[in-house]
Amino acid sequence: MIRKSYLFYILLLISGLIYSCKEQPNHLLVPGISKELAEFRKANIENVLYKLEFNIPEDDKQQINASLELNFAYKTEVVDLILDFNAPSDLIKKVSANGKVVEAQIDKEHIVINAQDLNKSNTINIDFVAGEQSLNRHEEYLYTLFVPERASTCFPLFDQPDIKATYELSLVVPKDWEAVTNGPERSVDEKQNRKHYKFKASQNISSYLFAFAAGRFDKIEREVDGRMMTMFHRETDSVKLANNIEAIFQWHAESLNWLEEYTGIKYPFEKFDFVLLPSFQYGGMEHPGSIFYKSSSLLLGKTSTINQQIGRGRLIAHETAHMWFGDLVTMPWFNDVWLKEVFANFMAAKIVRPKFNGINHELQFLMAHYPSAYEVDRTDGTHPISQNLDNLKNAGSLYGSIIYQKAPIVMQMLERNIGEEAFQKGIREYLSKYQFDNASWDDLIAIMGQNTDKNLKDWNDKWVKSARMPEIRYRMDVEKKNLLRVKLFTNNTNNNKYYPQSLVMGLGKGDTLLQVPYQVSSAFVELKIDSLIDPDYLFTNYSGMGYGYFSMGPSSIDYYLSNINGIESSVLRGALWINMYELVLGSAIAPTKYLESLLKSLAKETEPLIIEYLNSRLKEIFWNLLTEDQRAAYAAKIEGVLFNMTVNAKNDNLKNSFFKTYYAVVSTQAGTGLLYNLWGDNSENEIDLSEDDFINITYELALRLPDSAQTFIDHQLSRMSNKDRIDKLKFVAPSVSNDEKKRDTFFESLKEPKNRENEDWVLTAVHNLHHPLRQKSALKYIKPSLELLEEIKITGDIFFPKRWLDATFWGHQSEDASDMVRQFLYRHHDYPDDLKNKILQSTHILLRIAEIQEESQGQVVIN
């Protein structure tokens, strides 16, 4: 009996060891956060609390000493614990588990703590030096930006969105600094010339939403509609500040009130603060209790355009909507990151409507979303709204116009498909069921499906889980029996794929117009029309709100280009301009032909949103689609039209829009001289320029009058007082230098990650380096810019790789430039798909430029 018992325990021990070995997640120890690791931790870790302290020195070159107390429950005691820490291993100074100092393994961006040191309930203490990749440190302030998995570049944690936790923060900062985080302030004490902040624990939030900022900020506190808010800022222009404060606070209050009413859930977090940051990487970031904004997005000049004003309202509404969509209910994995963004954008569009009574909001939605979505969806680098993601390391590549711009269009289709009441009911059920938890798109669509008898599966498969914009082509056949057959081909290729949507066809002859509603319910649609059987023109998206590339015949193109200003519907005018630009890029309309019609229409168009769109297209056509000879031929006429429109604009908003376009395209000697006079100190003019205008014009003049470039920079610096803007101008100045060696040295400096940390400054400079006026000397930067892309993805923030590419390629037209791109893609045939797609998106026009220009080669028709 003794031997049998002994043998039993030996076997039990061996089996336990085998089990333990099998369960050890060594295969999960890979760089980044794999989906497999995330799923394992989600199943075994709960009740997480982080207590963090950061000791921030005034000198931004000194390290930040920090400590972490991590409390959590662990459901398994036989498996090593994997924490995420994507920073140099020597930054970890000491690790203790449950009161005992332990030897932790630091490897492959993780900290591994042995299972034998763990219990069901655990406290892990770590002394460390903060990693600085996502600590955006400046001389007088710093702020964190931890989306999508960048918190682990600063401190150890479980950096995945479905392990929600509370964060209790302490900060030690210079005595004249202010600090803010997600949780309310508990206490502030001054000790030894330092300020010690202690904040209350946040509510349950995902790691990418934890944030703090500290520095020399001014604070403005307001109570609006019974709600206290605090704004932190660094703006020194008191007039600009005074002109914007009321609108900023009011937009936040109105957004909060609207969202509470729509969702049926009161604002879910304890406080509402926001921080305005110079050169912030994004327009805004939705940290609960502490929203971060780019200062210039909210502090507008007094001559701001209508689009800028709507844009500010939409941005504030967008970030406020995230408090419910993304913060209260969060996606489990970043493949559904589009879900929080689509709702923030979709709700923002609804929120701004009452404030702008004079705006056609259907047109505003069209102009705000469709052009940007098409910019990606027309390219070979496009992707579905819902994307696959195997590792959070690649999550940044999911962001872009498809999730921010196409997804709201698709969500609007869903709302119209099932009805506004059923849509709102589904939203309320979704938020109520999953509040302070995680939920996926599939969870939401399941709830929506309960509120309608519509087939959402097919719609979801086509619009959410498939890539590319649909193409609708047509063929007209007239039969003897006075019958017109219009055959529509709704697929992209010959694969019989279609995208279901409700459309309207418009057919016209003279003043007679026939509108025919139709459903795209298959790859081939045939319409039989027994009246107006010989139309002169036809448009298959006559409602204006259909999504896709809508082919047009030559007679239809000529008719609409000639008569577009006579169309009463501004939505249809906007849709036609957008579609005809797609036809230009599809080589169906010559760029010069589109330009001629655009210039004639500017003086007749009455809708500010369309005018701003036409101004943006004018800049793109002038610099990207015209040949050098065509630019020279059209320059004087374009400058004349734009300056005339600037002087005679009906309001300051339009005046500002036309003048910004003028100084972006001016190229004649006379036009440049006029611009210089307007920029100078002693000029008397009716154009009210903001400091941002003066800075931008400084760059434009330096590029056009290179011998005086440094003089322009020095003069502009002499009339500025805001330190942040001065620092930016000094950083950017070498990019417009007349000395090519200085430009080369500056570009070389960008190969060092530390010199790319202020991404807003870098992008402005790279944009200048690659200006069309400098494209020949900038060719040598293309190859190294592409070679830096993988590193930029790792060291930069989520939008930086695409913006780096856009700034690099915007000014290039040459075959040499397109050959460099093709050669790079050929040499790197195994290049990561996400980055390859970004390259294809940013170089789409460049790679097709010869084809597009061929349509208008030699065509210059100036009336």
Side-chain angles (χ1 to χ4, degrees):
M1 289 294 293
I2 296 175
R3 288 180 179 176
K4 287 182 179 180
S5 177
Y6 180 75
L7 179 61
F8 171 78
Y9 283 112
I10 292 292
L11 290 172
L12 184 63
L13 178 61
I14 292 171
S15 65
L17 288 171
I18 293 172
Y19 175 79
S20 178
C21 289
K22 286 183 177 179
E23 287 294 305
Q24 293 305 314
N26 296 327
H27 63 293
L28 303 180
L29 196 62
V30 296
I33 299 118
S34 70
K35 198 166 192 305
E36 196 174 0
L37 171 61
E39 289 172 346
F40 175 84
R41 294 195 301 203
K42 175 61 178 174
N44 289 284
I45 294 168
E46 58 187 12
N47 302 328
V48 181
L49 165 64
Y50 299 96
K51 293 183 178 181
L52 285 155
E53 179 173 304
F54 295 89
N55 193 325
I56 301 171
E58 187 160 17
D59 184 351
D60 62 353
K61 303 297 188 294
Q62 292 182 9
Q63 67 183 26
I64 297 175
N65 293 313
S67 64
L68 164 68
E69 178 186 307
L70 168 61
N71 299 280
F72 64 98
Y74 199 38
K75 293 181 181 179
T76 175
E77 296 176 57
V78 297
V79 182
D80 292 348
L81 181 75
I82 297 180
L83 285 167
D84 308 319
F85 187 63
N86 183 12
S89 59
D90 60 0
L91 297 185
I92 300 296
K93 302 304 180 183
K94 185 173 75 171
V95 179
S96 300
N98 299 312
K100 181 179 70 174
V101 176
V102 298
E103 291 293 329
Q105 175 189 351
I106 304 174
D107 187 26
K108 296 179 181 175
E109 304 174 6
H110 298 286
I111 300 173
V112 182
I113 298 175
N114 197 295
Q116 68 184 19
D117 297 317
L118 301 171
N119 304 315
K120 291 292 187 185
S121 180
N122 296 276
T123 298
I124 306 295
N125 293 91
I126 302 177
D127 294 334
F128 64 101
V129 174
E132 298 205 16
Q133 181 177 332
S134 296
L135 279 179
N136 297 270
R137 299 183 73 179
H138 299 260
E139 187 177 337
E140 295 184 344
Y141 66 99
L142 65 77
Y143 61 90
T144 63
L145 192 54
F146 292 150
V147 63
E149 40 72 67
R150 300 298 172 86
S152 56
T153 67
C154 180
F155 64 95
L157 78 163
F158 308 115
D159 202 0
Q160 60 190 77
D162 60 347
I163 297 184
K164 289 197 168 186
T166 52
Y167 293 80
E168 189 175 313
L169 178 67
S170 298
L171 291 176
V172 181
V173 300
K175 67 175 182 178
D176 55 350
W177 281 27
E178 301 287 347
V180 61
T181 186
N182 309 91
E185 190 178 288
R186 186 192 299 276
S187 64
V188 186
D189 299 311
E190 285 195 25
K191 302 175 185 176
Q192 299 177 340
N193 213 30
R194 304 274 287 163
K195 191 183 286 187
H196 293 242
Y197 279 91
K198 291 187 182 297
F199 296 93
K200 295 179 183 178
S202 71
Q203 286 148 291
N204 235 26
I205 58 175
S206 297
S207 57
Y208 76 92
L209 294 170
F210 170 60
F212 61 87
R216 289 192 176 93
F217 289 104
D218 289 324
K219 290 166 58 176
I220 300 174
E221 294 182 325
R222 287 283 178 90
E223 182 177 343
V224 187
D225 296 343
R227 200 186 315 263
M228 287 301 301
M229 305 179 195
T230 303
M231 181 176 91
F232 296 76
H233 72 91
R234 287 178 52 79
E235 182 54 60
T236 56
D237 186 334
S238 58
V239 174
K240 175 183 275 192
L241 199 61
N243 288 341
N244 285 279
I245 288 175
E246 183 178 350
I248 292 171
F249 278 97
Q250 194 61 41
W251 267 120
H252 281 104
E254 290 181 10
S255 298
L256 287 164
N257 293 338
W258 189 96
L259 285 155
E260 287 181 337
E261 173 67 26
Y262 185 87
T263 65
I265 297 174
K266 290 293 184 182
Y267 174 67
F269 299 98
E270 290 185 75
K271 71 182 181 77
F272 195 89
D273 297 341
F274 46 95
V275 185
L276 276 58
L277 295 160
S279 302
F280 188 54
Q281 290 93 319
Y282 317 152
M285 180 59 205
E286 67 269 18
H287 312 117
S290 182
I291 301 173
F292 291 175
Y293 290 105
K294 186 175 183 177
S295 297
S296 58
S297 297
L298 267 56
L299 298 174
L300 305 181
K302 60 182 177 180
T303 58
S304 57
T305 67
I306 189 66
N307 260 352
Q308 288 174 315
Q309 293 173 25
I310 294 174
R312 174 174 63 185
R314 285 175 62 92
L315 174 60
I316 290 173
H318 176 108
E319 302 305 336
T320 306
H322 269 311
M323 301 300 109
W324 286 260
F325 301 98
D327 296 3
L328 178 63
V329 179
T330 311
M331 68 280 156
W333 191 241
F334 267 84
N335 64 319
D336 270 342
V337 66
W338 72 275
L339 183 57
K340 73 183 183 72
E341 298 303 335
V342 66
F343 274 118
N345 258 0
F346 192 65
M347 295 301 158
K350 290 178 178 288
I351 291 167
V352 300
R353 288 175 187 174
K355 191 74 171 179
F356 293 93
N357 293 325
I359 295 294
N360 183 321
H361 291 287
E362 194 169 50
L363 174 67
Q364 202 280 327
F365 187 87
L366 175 81
M367 307 311 285
H369 293 92
Y370 285 67
S372 296
Y374 288 170
E375 281 179 10
V376 173
D377 226 9
R378 74 168 77 103
T379 75
D380 290 335
T382 191
H383 54 78
I385 292 173
S386 179
Q387 303 169 70
N388 294 322
L389 180 66
D390 61 349
N391 192 309
L392 284 184
K393 202 174 193 65
N394 300 317
S397 298
L398 303 181
Y399 289 80
S401 293
I402 294 300
I403 69 169
Y404 281 98
Q405 309 302 341
K406 183 179 179 180
I409 298 168
V410 171
M411 194 60 70
Q412 185 180 73
M413 289 182 189
L414 176 62
E415 184 185 51
R416 289 176 174 176
N417 199 7
I418 69 174
E420 290 186 20
E421 186 176 339
F423 185 85
Q424 184 180 10
K425 181 182 178 183
I427 293 300
R428 287 186 166 198
E429 289 180 22
Y430 168 78
L431 292 174
S432 178
K433 181 176 180 178
Y434 295 107
Q435 57 184 309
F436 291 107
D437 205 345
N438 300 85
S440 68
W441 165 248
D442 289 337
D443 294 324
L444 174 61
I445 206 72
I447 291 174
M448 291 290 188
Q450 296 171 6
N451 299 321
T452 182
D453 57 359
K454 303 283 187 180
N455 178 9
L456 297 185
K457 183 181 184 305
D458 181 58
W459 173 87
N460 187 32
D461 288 343
K462 299 289 174 55
W463 283 105
V464 176
K465 300 191 175 182
S466 298
R468 282 203 171 276
M469 58 195 287
E471 177 182 335
I472 295 185
R473 296 172 288 113
Y474 63 88
R475 185 174 69 236
M476 293 189 294
D477 295 323
V478 180
E479 295 188 352
K480 294 180 181 178
K481 297 179 180 179
N482 294 326
L483 187 68
L484 174 67
R485 291 180 186 271
V486 182
K487 297 180 179 180
L488 298 158
F489 307 90
T490 65
N491 55 318
N492 290 335
T493 59
N494 294 320
N495 59 6
N496 292 333
K497 188 165 188 175
Y498 70 95
Y499 296 75
Q501 57 181 320
S502 300
L503 299 171
V504 176
M505 178 185 294
L507 305 93
K509 187 174 181 65
D511 295 331
T512 303
L513 176 68
L514 178 65
Q515 298 187 51
V516 183
Y518 65 100
Q519 295 288 328
V520 177
S521 55
S522 65
F524 305 98
V525 178
E526 183 173 274
L527 300 178
K528 297 179 181 179
I529 301 168
D530 57 8
S531 60
L532 201 65
I533 62 172
D534 56 344
D536 294 332
Y537 51 93
L538 182 155
F539 186 39
T540 52
N541 181 28
Y542 207 79
S543 68
M545 300 306 289
Y547 184 87
Y549 178 96
F550 298 92
S551 177
M552 298 174 74
S555 62
S556 298
I557 290 171
D558 290 342
Y559 173 82
Y560 284 118
L561 283 177
S562 301
N563 297 281
I564 193 166
N565 288 106
I567 295 172
E568 184 177 352
S569 167
S570 59
V571 173
L572 179 56
R573 291 200 309 276
L576 282 164
W577 280 119
I578 291 169
N579 193 68
M580 287 190 288
Y581 184 71
E582 295 304 312
L583 295 176
V584 171
L585 300 183
S587 301
I589 301 177
T592 49
K593 188 171 185 175
Y594 185 95
L595 178 62
E596 282 289 338
S597 182
L598 185 157
L599 291 172
K600 291 175 184 176
S601 295
L602 272 178
K604 300 175 183 178
E605 181 57 62
T606 58
E607 176 53 66
L609 295 172
I610 296 179
I611 289 173
E612 289 203 40
Y613 173 79
L614 294 178
N615 279 333
S616 70
R617 288 305 182 232
L618 193 160
K619 287 184 284 189
E620 289 174 20
I621 287 175
F622 183 79
W623 287 121
N624 300 125
L625 301 183
L626 298 186
T627 65
E628 286 189 33
D629 289 343
Q630 288 170 341
R631 282 205 297 267
Y634 274 101
K637 179 179 181 178
I638 290 172
E639 291 171 18
V641 169
L642 288 172
F643 195 77
N644 182 59
M645 295 303 299
T646 299
V647 172
N648 296 301
K650 294 179 180 179
N651 55 59
D652 288 341
N653 293 334
L654 286 178
K655 188 185 293 286
N656 188 254
S657 177
F658 283 119
F659 188 64
K660 285 180 186 297
T661 308
Y662 174 83
Y663 70 65
V665 300
V666 67
S667 58
T668 68
Q669 184 176 350
T672 303
L674 176 61
L675 184 64
Y676 172 77
N677 290 333
L678 292 170
W679 174 83
D681 283 330
N682 301 318
S683 60
E684 295 182 5
N685 58 81
E686 299 178 359
I687 303 170
D688 194 355
L689 300 180
S690 68
E691 187 166 72
D692 286 338
D693 286 322
F694 278 112
I695 293 169
N696 290 333
I697 293 171
T698 301
Y699 300 144
E700 301 292 350
L701 288 172
L703 288 162
R704 288 158 178 79
L705 301 170
D707 289 342
S708 302
Q710 191 58 49
T711 302
F712 296 137
I713 295 293
D714 292 340
H715 181 64
Q716 183 56 37
L717 286 170
S718 71
R719 54 185 182 182
M720 294 167 62
S721 59
N722 183 280
K723 184 180 185 304
D724 298 318
R725 288 194 280 272
I726 289 171
D727 288 345
K728 177 178 179 178
L729 182 53
K730 287 180 177 178
F731 177 89
V732 173
S735 70
V736 293
S737 171
N738 190 35
D739 186 339
E740 188 170 344
K741 290 183 179 179
K742 284 187 179 180
R743 301 200 300 273
D744 293 348
T745 300
F746 175 77
F747 178 80
E748 285 297 313
S749 74
L750 298 182
K751 293 180 179 180
E752 290 293 327
K754 67 180 184 344
N755 295 326
R756 299 194 303 267
E757 288 177 355
N758 201 320
E759 293 174 5
D760 176 71
W761 298 6
V762 171
L763 292 170
T764 300
V766 173
H767 189 272
N768 288 338
L769 286 176
H770 292 276
H771 193 281
L773 296 174
R774 290 264 174 83
Q775 63 175 301
K776 291 180 181 177
S777 65
L779 276 172
K780 58 178 171 287
Y781 306 141
I782 290 179
K783 182 180 176 183
S785 294
L786 289 170
E787 290 171 343
L788 277 171
L789 192 58
E790 287 188 273
E791 181 184 310
I792 282 172
K793 174 186 170 180
I794 295 170
T795 60
D797 284 296
I798 54 179
F799 297 109
F800 195 38
K802 177 64 163 57
R803 290 173 175 172
W804 169 271
L805 291 168
D806 287 344
T808 297
F809 289 105
W810 85 276
H812 290 278
Q813 292 181 303
S814 69
E815 288 184 23
D816 288 340
S818 59
D819 285 345
M820 287 180 182
V821 176
R822 291 189 178 96
Q823 289 168 15
F824 179 85
L825 293 174
Y826 177 78
R827 288 195 309 271
H828 299 80
H829 58 275
D830 56 348
Y831 204 62
D833 286 342
D834 57 341
L835 294 181
K836 180 181 178 182
N837 284 342
K838 300 293 185 191
I839 295 172
L840 291 172
Q841 292 166 19
S842 295
T843 62
H844 176 73
I845 292 177
L846 171 64
L847 296 177
R848 294 201 60 253
I849 194 71
E851 231 180 298
I852 296 168
Q853 288 183 345
E854 188 177 350
E855 290 296 310
S856 63
Q857 194 63 42
Q859 292 187 25
V860 178
V861 185
I862 302 178
N863 298 319

